[in-house]
Amino acid sequence: MYLRRKIDSFLTEWKKDRERNPLIIKGARQIGKTESILHFANANYENVVYVNFVTDEKYKKITIDGYSPKEIIKNLSKLNTDFRFIRNNTLIVFDEMQEFPEIATSLKFFKIDGGYDIVCSGSLLGINYKRIESNSVGYKDDYTMYSLDFEEFLWAKGYSDLQISDLLDHMQKMKPFSDLELNVYHRHFLDFCILGGMPRIIVNFIQENTFERTLKTQRQLLHDYEEDIRKYAEGLDQARIMNVFHHIPVQLAKENKKFQISKVASGARFKDYRGCIEWLIDSGIINACYCISFPELPLKGNYEEDKYKLYFGDTGLLIASLDDESQDDLRVNDNLGVYKGALYENIIAESLIKQGYSLFYYKREDSTLEEDFFVRTKNSLVPVEVKAVSGRSKSLRTLIDSDRYPDIEFGIKLSRNNIGFENKIYTFPYFCSFLLKRYLKNVEW
């Protein structure tokens, strides 16, 4: 079963570009990169050459005579006599390139030659990808792929683009959903939260309509991530990276979700762990949400690098990391317990990242005002509040009403509630979060 992905349309447009560069598709492991590439390749090329640097290490020798297409193709033909190279109708796929970063040097020469299309794929694993990024600058394009978002999950469930457009139409016209619509989409959204966006897990769920084997598969993926840390991280950083990774669920469960290095290990300091956190972020395993100094534009020049919250890049893996009792409560009773706030914040953080946003939050020094996330329109800063339970939005109300925050004209609240608007606060159900960027594109104040 092939799952429709957003990268499908990107690859189609890439092929239409006569001046296309070699393409590097990067992302965390097990998110469906290879499957999507080969699905596209087999549908669009007469000839596909697939090279995997993990499953067959002999291909690491293809640059022994240099990086020109002529020499690489000659060596590929020697190593595999089944390969065919038809100029102007061959796609060469270099997979798992984090295992052989040197291949990136050849991309410049393939671009200059112009006879073969190149798509590379690899996991974002620390220093190895940094070596890839430094090669062939200006002669390659990069695309970051993620696990499925909620829109892709709805596609997998059989929903059409027309139905997605109807969701957006409800938001744009501030038209509340019927009770039936609200219940159905909330159920799908909670299923998505539990499952996460890893394709293998989604396929099993769609085909069998059960959570059976989900947790086992998720925990295997967590184990695979830990193996990657041991394999790719160097020296003492391995233990430190692992400590950070294991402490994220624990710290998210607390009311104050700011990640505290001092809780990771006795005597731990930010300067000793900064590189470890960056390693996890660069690998695509986690997302960081930085505390802004003051709620004003621009966001990217206005944050404190040593104050942040850490979220899992895939909410399903966060849930898989919880204790067994929490697992049972969630799957059987839909009871999120102490993790309720953590789950909803994590899924919204994940949604914002997958829409291309960076993550920022704000907490005033006196702790009397805190806001979960911020996005922006062309002219306005937009606070986004995630409500795990019904209640007042005191901080959101303050940010909108106070003259201290002139860049803020309105806010957004995400909750289980229906669509609504009151006192410059737009309320949307959680399941609409994947449409925020499209919605804000046409909001005028």
Side-chain angles (χ1 to χ4, degrees), residues 275-374:
C276 302
I277 292 166
E278 289 177 351
W279 192 97
L280 285 166
I281 295 169
D282 289 344
S283 71
I285 296 173
I286 68 171
N287 296 318
C289 181
Y290 292 97
C291 184
I292 54 176
S293 304
F294 189 78
E296 63 182 358
L297 296 172
L299 283 169
K300 291 193 175 180
N302 178 32
Y303 69 89
E304 302 175 62
E305 62 180 13
D306 60 343
K307 292 183 181 179
Y308 46 83
K309 295 184 283 187
L310 298 181
Y311 299 104
F312 272 66
D314 186 271
T315 304
L317 298 185
L318 166 62
I319 290 175
S321 70
L322 306 183
D323 55 76
D324 289 339
E325 290 75 18
S326 296
Q327 293 285 336
D328 292 340
D329 278 351
L330 179 57
R331 285 174 165 78
V332 177
N333 303 313
D334 293 348
N335 179 17
L336 308 181
V338 70
Y339 291 99
K340 182 179 291 185
L343 170 64
Y344 287 126
E345 276 194 39
N346 201 100
I347 195 68
I348 299 306
E350 179 187 338
S351 177
L352 293 175
I353 285 287
K354 289 176 178 178
Q355 291 173 74
Y357 287 113
S358 297
L359 301 180
F360 301 99
Y361 77 102
Y362 177 64
K363 185 170 185 177
R364 203 154 65 190
E365 290 294 334
D366 59 11
S367 298
T368 59
L369 191 154
E370 183 172 5
E371 197 55 71
D372 299 316
F373 301 106
F374 288 86

Side-chain angles (χ1 to χ4, degrees), residues 1 3-6 147-160 164 184-199 201-206 209 211 350 354 431 434:
M1 177 183 178
L3 299 177
R4 176 188 173 192
R5 304 297 302 275
K6 292 183 175 177
S147 61
L148 278 79
D149 66 9
F150 186 55
E151 183 172 15
E152 291 170 314
F153 177 73
L154 289 177
W155 288 343
K157 293 285 291 182
Y159 286 78
S160 67
I164 303 297
V184 168
Y185 283 119
H186 271 312
R187 182 66 256 177
H188 287 328
F189 190 75
L190 186 57
D191 286 346
F192 176 65
C193 291
I194 295 170
L195 294 164
M198 296 301 186
I201 295 168
I202 298 295
V203 168
N204 287 341
F205 179 74
I206 297 298
N209 197 29
F211 290 107
E350 179 187 338
K354 289 176 178 178
F431 60 76
F434 76 94

Side-chain angles (χ1 to χ4, degrees), residues 259-272:
F259 195 82
Q260 296 175 287
I261 288 293
S262 60
K263 304 292 185 183
V264 172
S266 177
R269 297 174 297 177
F270 172 72
K271 69 176 185 178
D272 296 326

